[in-house]
Amino acid sequence: MLFLWLYMFYSCAGSCAGLTTRGSPAPPRAAPPLPPLLEEQRAAPDAGSPISSFFNGSGTKRLPQAIIIGVKKGGTRALLEFLRVHPDVRAVGAEPHFFDRNYERGLAWYRDLMPKTLEGQITMEKTPSYFVTKEAPARISSMSKGTKLIVVVRDPVTRAISDYTQTLSKKPDIPTFESLTFKNRTTGLIDTSWSAIQIGIYAKHLENWLLHFPIGQILFVSGERLISDPAGELGRVQDFLGLKRIITDKHFYFNKTKGFPCLKKAEGSSKPHCLGKTKGRTHPDIDQEVVQRLRDFYRPFNMKFYQMTGQDFGWD
């Protein structure tokens, strides 16, 4: 009997110790402290660790490994929208303008603008004004010398007219394209201070980038071929980024009204998607003599650009 009593006493000790008075709940037991490593991860998960994905919801915000740096009115928006179809590309929708207008905000601010990515995905952004910003190459190189750069280029004369057309839609009272093109129309001296003209001197801007990046780290996409053969140009871009060729002909259809290709299915949607009404505007009629003078002006710069890039874009 004594042994039975002792057995019951010791069996109850573990489970009954938490009871204070009959019918009263036991006070909560303090959770055992986490090991030091887990305690640090709970407070500030490592950006690259699997536990980070758990605490952050899905993926990690990273600085971009690739940037579409130009050019304005070349087709950068179309390229970005096409690339976002790829499951391994995550891109900022709006233009951050970090390396030209917001650099003083710092890299932490810039990183926070980026979408979260999983391991193996590429973070991208596009800001076309970077290509003509003198400080941008050194700033991007300072962030990462390995950043891949993409430049969408287009016939500089057509690009200038498109640039003017965009401005005209916002400011209908601006002077004519012809009057803005020349410093003196009688002498035929082109006004290279006008941004619409200046942006198209691609060779001049590229020289600045080659001081900080090797030519093999910059991909030049033809704005014309992006319209005539979007799948072909996207194939080159996917290869350049080290991505599997997932975006193909089956993703596009040609919109005759707008005059350029559209996506059969946009990112996150089952519906066809074309760029907005601000894209594909009808250009005003420009005096053909002025157009020819511009072609003559750009020709030597185009030739130099072809030599620098090893590509003939067929603008002449």
Side-chain angles (χ1 to χ4, degrees), residues 52-295:
S52 168
S53 295
F54 174 79
F55 285 111
N56 289 334
S58 178
T60 305
K61 291 189 175 186
R62 297 180 175 89
L63 291 169
Q65 299 102 313
I67 303 176
I68 300 173
I69 58 172
V71 299
K72 181 184 179 184
K73 308 307 296 180
T76 58
R77 172 54 60 185
L79 178 61
L80 185 70
E81 292 301 313
F82 295 164
L83 276 174
R84 291 174 78 177
V85 172
H86 200 293
D88 289 334
V89 171
R90 300 282 287 124
V92 183
E95 296 174 5
H97 283 282
F98 176 65
F99 294 104
D100 56 354
R101 302 178 191 170
N102 295 300
Y103 194 64
E104 72 285 349
R105 292 176 181 263
L107 285 173
W109 176 86
Y110 184 47
R111 182 190 287 110
D112 196 52
L113 297 178
M114 300 299 130
K116 291 181 179 179
T117 52
L118 300 174
E119 193 66 33
Q121 290 183 317
I122 291 177
T123 303
M124 291 187 68
E125 71 114 319
K126 77 108 176 168
T127 304
S129 54
Y130 290 163
F131 188 64
V132 298
T133 299
K134 190 175 182 180
E135 299 81 11
R139 289 172 174 178
I140 294 176
S141 177
S142 177
M143 175 188 72
S144 172
K145 293 183 181 298
T147 306
K148 293 185 177 182
L149 308 172
I150 301 175
V151 187
V152 188
V153 288
R154 182 184 184 187
D155 181 331
V157 178
T158 309
R159 196 222 65 83
I161 296 171
S162 181
D163 197 336
Y164 173 80
T165 304
Q166 182 182 55
T167 305
L168 185 65
S169 69
K170 299 174 183 177
K171 302 176 181 178
D173 57 342
I174 61 171
T176 64
F177 179 89
E178 290 85 350
S179 63
L180 291 169
T181 297
F182 300 100
K183 282 187 176 180
N184 187 320
R185 188 166 182 178
T186 303
T187 62
L189 183 62
I190 303 293
D191 188 356
T192 56
S193 66
W194 184 29
S195 65
I197 299 295
Q198 197 257 352
I199 289 172
I201 308 175
Y202 303 139
K204 175 185 174 183
H205 304 301
L206 181 56
E207 285 178 344
N208 191 30
W209 287 90
L210 294 180
L211 295 175
H212 302 275
F213 292 93
I215 192 72
Q217 212 164 305
I218 308 173
L219 179 70
F220 300 91
V221 174
S222 165
E224 287 82 12
R225 287 196 293 270
L226 196 58
I227 294 173
S228 64
D229 181 20
E233 284 301 279
L234 265 293
R236 294 179 60 241
V237 176
Q238 290 170 96
D239 291 347
F240 175 71
L241 296 175
L243 298 169
K244 183 178 179 181
R245 284 199 177 196
I246 289 177
I247 306 171
T248 62
D249 281 321
K250 68 182 181 181
H251 288 92
F252 302 99
Y253 74 95
F254 191 81
N255 186 303
K256 293 181 179 179
T257 303
K258 284 186 168 290
F260 53 73
C262 300
L263 289 168
K264 290 181 179 177
K265 292 182 180 180
E267 179 197 26
S269 173
S270 61
K271 298 179 180 180
H273 172 68
C274 275
L275 299 181
K277 62 182 181 181
T278 61
K279 306 298 180 182
R281 296 186 186 95
T282 302
H283 290 178
D285 290 328
I286 306 297
D287 186 331
Q288 286 306 300
E289 181 190 349
V290 174
V291 171
Q292 188 55 53
R293 287 199 181 187
L294 274 176
R295 293 208 176 281

